[in-house]
Amino acid sequence: MSASNESTTGTATAETTKEVDALRKVARELLESGAVKMVIGYGEGYTQGKVMPIFLTDPEEVNRLIFDKRCVNNLATYLKKPEIRAMGKVAIVVKGCDARAINVLLLENQARRENLVILGMVCEGVGDPAEEKCLSCLVNTPPVYDHLFGEKIPARGWNEETFAKVEELDAMSPEERWEFWRRHFDRCIKCYACRQVCPICTCTRCITDKNQPQWVPTSPHPMGNYHWNLTRAFHLAGRCVSCNECERACPVDIPLSIINLALVKAVHDQYGFIAGMNSEDSPPLATYKEGEEQEFIK
Amino acid sequence: MAISIHANNFQTLFDSARDAGYRVIAPVRDHTVTLFKPVEKADQIVLDEILPTKSPKEYFLAEHEPILTYCRDKSGKVSIADPSLEEVMQPTLIFGVRPCDAAGPEIIRKVMTWDCDDQFFLRRREASVVVAIACVEADDACFCTSVGQAPDGTEGADILLVPSSDETGAVQEYLVQPVTDKGSEFIKATKGWKEGNPSRAAACDEVKEKLQKRFDPDRVREWLDAGFDDPYWNTATLSCIGCGTCTYLCPTCHCFDIVDEGDLTCGSRVKNWDSCQMCQFTLHASGHNPRATQNERFRQRIMHKFKYYPQLFGVVLCTGCGRCQRSCPVDLALAKLVERIYQLACEPVGT
């Protein structure tokens, strides 16, 4: 045991790509000029081989920034954090899926465009093996950015595999489907990691925290777990950008992405809408148009 | 006389424990995670991982526990009933627990018997036999030796099994160390045990060598005594998203919430796990929140474990299991932060 251990904040890797070099250069300029108060990016993690979000205010630290296949986290979630909002203008490193989340935040007035410098990374997919979300990525080139690092590439796009699990569940009988989810929700411990990690869960007071009356039971019993997991999913209908952070953060690995994808598919089938592709299109579930079909209201 | 047990005899042990009235709980695979759950067959259990995903804490401090039920009849008369203690009192064998997880409930016992005796916790404790298995492996997240625990520690265990590896490193046999009288009696009352040593020496020297102490909790506490307002807290935990995973998986975190669930006529008052990392944990009815930011909430977690609990009970509220690092979605490793605090504590004054 020694008091003079090396720094525990992680060290930069020796080899970098030209995209990361360019990213560091821009980050340095932004911090040195005072254009932003902070750069949010990825750095080497505490755990060997993992990455972690880093928050740079000192231009001398920009060499800690990295970008590679391990950078799975959606950093856009920090834009809802009061401590970050209080900073004023910040720069943020994003992949395409993260940038879609920013588009949703902009659309919903949860972030101000003028307070963001978006450092977009062209991304061929993250994770080793590749994350499932990456196999159907719509945005290998981020749909919104101020600086782009890497050559633009076409998106992989949805394919027959994208909704395969949803279709598999749809093919089940209601009893089988119920059993499938009962088995998975049974593990839920109500830690709300799925909510906390989600960049789109921006409510400052979640409905499950409202207790007069208590709309969603806080107990991790079967009813409470169904209630919570379905409420969470429904509130993300037409808003979820399929970054799959909820499933990644879940300590008991509930396959939340299947529920999310079912809703993504439903919203697309009904309204031709995909969340986060831009920050202008009206979200179908929060928009009323005169002359809309009304027959479903009895 | 030495006692040993062969893995082939776990089924005999489980069957005889069931015959003696015990339910058997052990780590089993569920989807992609490993959880302590009731088991039938010994070949279901998973003993080759560093640690199961969740600790067996829930078998002492239930995730969800009704503590009373109430009902109002048509005349308006309200009746209140205690919950059945049948499940709470059920004899339970908790098998295959790592020493850090076994120590957890023993540390929590101090608060559970502090100003009043938590009967749910104590009766569960009384009704359970914990069979721990010493570690032969550790990963970078493990730090039990820094908080006074050991890979072959016996705290909270009734029986400790020390693995004996064959020439390929595979573990089939275990040296059996009865730790408590309850453990000795359990061995007498059940089958599968064998007199004599395992065929090869049982030890976990290698892993002990690997698990060097990373900090001194006394020096950490001294720094925390004066460090509440230190600028360290402003930046160290900015990446925390307040998900609470670390608290829920922790073998020593024990905070719970009490809520009433039901309709206008009948319902129950229940105890549910809660987390200091949730923003509403300290939210007052007035709207004021004394821990308004996540940095303050993370500071509280470290303060509670390394300052308040040691001050009150003389023991660190942490067993070094490392789940808080392994399962953190943003790799914010608590032990690394405490290591840093230790470094700050060791720096000469004025630097």
Side-chain angles (χ1 to χ4, degrees), chain B residues 22-84:
Chain B
Y22 287 84
R23 67 173 168 165
V24 182
I25 305 293
V28 293
R29 207 72 182 146
D30 184 344
H31 186 49
T32 56
V33 295
T34 307
L35 305 173
F36 281 92
K37 296 184 89 168
V39 288
E40 290 294 325
K41 298 281 173 209
D43 59 11
Q44 286 176 277
I45 67 174
V46 178
L47 296 179
D48 59 353
E49 294 181 346
I50 302 277
L51 275 173
T53 313
K54 275 166 76 185
S55 85
K57 173 174 77 176
E58 65 198 272
Y59 292 96
F60 304 104
L61 179 68
E63 278 173 24
H64 166 69
E65 183 144 69
I67 54 178
L68 64 82
T69 53
Y70 56 88
C71 229
R72 188 171 58 177
D73 66 18
K74 279 181 186 153
S75 67
K77 189 170 166 281
V78 177
S79 56
I80 294 175
D82 285 333
S84 155

Side-chain angles (χ1 to χ4, degrees), chain B residues 121-332:
Chain B
F121 177 87
L122 290 173
R123 288 175 193 220
R124 282 205 165 88
R125 199 85 185 101
E126 206 176 302
S128 61
V129 171
V130 175
V131 177
I133 298 183
C135 299
V136 286
E137 279 182 278
D139 65 12
D140 292 341
C142 291
F143 62 102
C144 61
T145 54
S146 304
V147 288
Q149 304 294 335
D152 57 353
T154 56
E155 191 178 1
D158 295 299
I159 298 166
L160 177 72
L161 306 186
V162 185
S164 149
S165 313
D166 64 19
E167 58 278 6
T168 67
V171 175
Q172 288 297 326
E173 281 187 287
Y174 300 83
L175 176 66
V176 179
Q177 291 179 10
V179 179
T180 61
D181 291 344
K182 188 161 65 173
S184 301
E185 279 159 30
F186 179 80
I187 292 171
K188 279 186 211 145
T190 49
K191 293 176 189 154
W193 316 98
K194 187 185 91 176
E195 286 195 352
N197 281 303
S199 45
R200 296 172 72 92
C204 36
D205 296 340
E206 256 177 63
V207 74
K208 275 187 182 167
E209 184 65 30
K210 185 178 173 182
L211 284 165
Q212 295 294 313
K213 285 187 184 178
R214 286 159 56 181
F215 54 82
D216 170 5
D218 290 334
R219 293 299 297 271
V220 169
R221 196 184 63 243
E222 283 166 25
W223 187 89
L224 292 174
D225 283 342
F228 191 83
D229 291 319
D230 196 276
Y232 173 70
W233 305 111
N234 297 342
T235 53
T237 60
L238 206 48
S239 67
C240 179
I241 55 169
C243 75
T245 296
C246 51
T247 54
Y248 282 67
L249 300 187
C250 175
T252 60
C253 276
H254 52 265
C255 286
F256 55 81
D257 187 24
I258 292 178
V259 288
D260 288 348
E261 279 182 355
D263 54 30
L264 286 175
T265 54
C266 288
S268 52
R269 179 159 296 174
V270 301
K271 222 165 102 175
N272 290 330
W273 283 2
D274 202 358
S275 169
C276 59
Q277 299 308 296
M278 308 278 189
C279 63
Q280 82 280 16
F281 186 78
T282 48
L283 182 63
H284 294 182
S286 66
H288 171 65
N289 194 339
R291 288 182 215 135
T293 64
Q294 198 57 39
N295 287 345
E296 291 166 294
R297 296 192 275 272
F298 207 108
R299 175 179 62 191
Q300 163 63 20
R301 182 164 155 78
I302 291 183
M303 285 281 179
H304 191 196
K305 292 193 171 299
F306 293 93
K307 174 173 153 62
Y308 307 143
Y309 207 84
Q311 275 175 343
L312 263 175
F313 302 117
V315 54
V316 177
L317 186 65
C318 172
T319 66
C321 75
R323 282 190 184 85
C324 48
Q325 176 171 353
R326 277 182 221 102
S327 295
C328 177
V330 298
D331 197 33
L332 186 56

